[in-house]
């Protein structure tokens, strides 16, 4: 999916978990696959970031990790229904992370494109 004409968000099933800044693997059984979407943050949005105890407002989380104020509204967020599952390129949700019990893995990918029009 091309999002906001400068981001490419991918989603596919995989058998291997990879860990890098521009991808996030999730447990497919923990989300509604047909309800995955991409949007920008909204007031009051919350995520339970991997490695943290409990949820946190996205605004506060981005501030805590020193994301510049003018960049915060430009970061795509992947959701499944009302559940935020990934702040693209930054952090995924504890609620959907892959565990030893995971049977089906979905890999989400993120790429920022500087000159999308030239790439077509």
């Amino acid at each position: 999916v091309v999002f906001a004409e400068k981001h490419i968000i991918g989603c596919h099933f995989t058998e291997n978990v990879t860990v890098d800044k521009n991808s996030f693997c999730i447990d497919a059984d923990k989300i509604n696959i047909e309800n995955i979407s991409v949007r920008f943050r909204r007031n009051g949005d919350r995520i339970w970031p991997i490695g943290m105890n409990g949820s946190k407002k996205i605004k506060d989380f981005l501030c805590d990790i020193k994301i510049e104020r003018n960049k915060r509204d430009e970061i795509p967020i992947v959701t499944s229904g009302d559940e935020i599952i990934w702040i693209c390129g930054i952090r995924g949700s504890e609620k959907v992370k892959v565990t030893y019990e995971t049977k089906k893995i979905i890999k989400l990918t993120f790429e920022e494109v500087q000159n999308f029009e030239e790439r077509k």
Side-chain angles (χ1 to χ4, degrees), residues 14 16-25 50 86 90 98 107-108:
T14 185
N16 302 312
V17 174
T18 56
V19 179
D20 63 63
K21 180 182 175 196
N22 293 324
S23 68
F24 179 54
C25 292
I50 287 181
W86 189 34
I90 297 177
V98 174
K107 181 177 182 178
L108 302 171

Side-chain angles (χ1 to χ4, degrees), residues 1 5 14 23 43 56 60 72:
V1 171
E5 294 191 6
T14 185
S23 68
N43 285 337
K56 189 160 196 153
D60 296 338
R72 295 177 198 161

Side-chain angles (χ1 to χ4, degrees), residues 2-46:
V2 176
F3 182 71
E5 294 191 6
K6 64 179 189 176
H7 306 287
I8 298 174
I9 314 290
C11 177
H12 63 274
F13 284 97
T14 185
E15 293 182 7
N16 302 312
V17 174
T18 56
V19 179
D20 63 63
K21 180 182 175 196
N22 293 324
S23 68
F24 179 54
C25 292
I26 63 174
D27 185 327
D29 293 326
K30 294 180 181 175
I31 65 164
N32 179 348
I33 297 169
E34 296 175 7
N35 208 3
I36 293 177
S37 62
V38 181
R39 63 173 174 80
F40 291 119
R41 73 181 176 103
R42 298 178 184 152
N43 285 337
D45 273 346
R46 297 184 78 86

Side-chain angles (χ1 to χ4, degrees), residues 9-120:
I9 314 290
C11 177
H12 63 274
F13 284 97
T14 185
E15 293 182 7
N16 302 312
V17 174
T18 56
V19 179
D20 63 63
K21 180 182 175 196
N22 293 324
S23 68
F24 179 54
C25 292
I26 63 174
D27 185 327
D29 293 326
K30 294 180 181 175
I31 65 164
N32 179 348
I33 297 169
E34 296 175 7
N35 208 3
I36 293 177
S37 62
V38 181
R39 63 173 174 80
F40 291 119
R41 73 181 176 103
R42 298 178 184 152
N43 285 337
D45 273 346
R46 297 184 78 86
I47 188 171
W48 183 343
I50 287 181
M52 294 185 75
N53 294 325
S55 70
K56 189 160 196 153
K57 283 187 177 180
I58 289 182
K59 176 184 176 182
D60 296 338
F61 177 74
L62 295 175
C63 182
D64 290 349
I65 64 169
K66 310 285 191 257
I67 301 294
E68 296 174 35
R69 184 183 305 246
N70 62 335
K71 300 285 186 193
R72 295 177 198 161
D73 290 331
E74 298 176 8
I75 300 169
I77 294 173
V78 179
T79 65
S80 176
D82 293 331
E83 189 71 38
I84 293 171
I85 57 179
W86 189 34
I87 303 171
C88 292
I90 297 177
R91 187 77 58 94
S93 171
E94 181 77 25
K95 293 182 178 183
V96 298
K97 74 177 182 180
V98 174
T99 65
Y100 289 109
E101 290 84 33
T102 299
K103 294 179 177 80
K104 294 184 289 187
I105 300 169
I106 293 177
K107 181 177 182 178
L108 302 171
T109 58
F110 167 71
E111 179 183 354
E112 192 165 7
V113 181
Q114 297 301 323
N115 297 310
F116 183 75
E117 289 298 318
E118 295 174 12
R119 190 170 176 186
K120 286 184 183 179

